[in-house]
């Protein structure tokens, strides 16, 4: 999934099931570059997965680069290609709505970062939330780079 020759998401798999994930590398033919703001890319991916109730996962690709697997896309036997495409367009539209509303994490007010932690936290214990590339968000709204 690209916008202005920048790749944000990938859909991989084969009929009837695919995975929707964040992009990690430029396209092989070189005309499309991967989004350079990987941390900004992770936030909407995690939020979208949370909205969809899919428990998004941070994984590593074959090159060791981290990405967010947002959800699985499944086409049921009775679902037409047009219906699947319509559903997918809704999900992708929502991703870009969230992405467009996100500012760089480091430039956010502390209250926003605490709110973001509260949305993404998987428990009520105040545990840190892992983004990508060794970056964690603590419950006090601070980012910490713990390395990979």
């Amino acid at each position: 999934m690209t916008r202005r020759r920048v790749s944000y998401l990938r859909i991989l798999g084969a009929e009837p099931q695919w995975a929707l994930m964040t992009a990690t590398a430029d396209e092989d033919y070189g005309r499309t570059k991967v989004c350079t703001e990987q941390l900004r890319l992770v936030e909407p991916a995690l939020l979208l997965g949370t909205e969809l109730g899919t428990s998004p996962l941070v994984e590593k690709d074959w090159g060791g680069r981290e990405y967010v697997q947002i959800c699985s896309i499944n086409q049921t036997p009775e679902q037409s290609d047009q219906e699947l495409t319509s559903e997918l367009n809704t999900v992708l539209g929502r991703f870009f709505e969230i992405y467009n509303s996100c500012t760089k994490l480091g430039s956010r007010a502390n209250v926003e970062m605490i709110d973001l932690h509260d949305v993404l936290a998987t428990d009520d214990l105040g545990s840190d939330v892992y983004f990508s590339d060794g970056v964690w968000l603590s419950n006090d709204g601070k980012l910490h780079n713990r390395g990979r």
Side-chain angles (χ1 to χ4, degrees), residues 10 13 25 43 46 61 63 73 82 88 105 107 126 140 144:
R10 296 223 194 293
E43 181 184 2
L46 291 171
D61 68 10
I73 302 163
Q82 289 173 333
L88 186 55
L105 293 176
S107 65
D140 63 359
H144 304 277

Side-chain angles (χ1 to χ4, degrees), residues 107-120:
S107 65
R108 293 210 175 167
N110 195 44
V111 172
E112 281 185 271
M113 296 301 282
I114 292 169
D115 289 344
L116 176 62
H117 175 275
D118 292 345
V119 167
L120 298 176

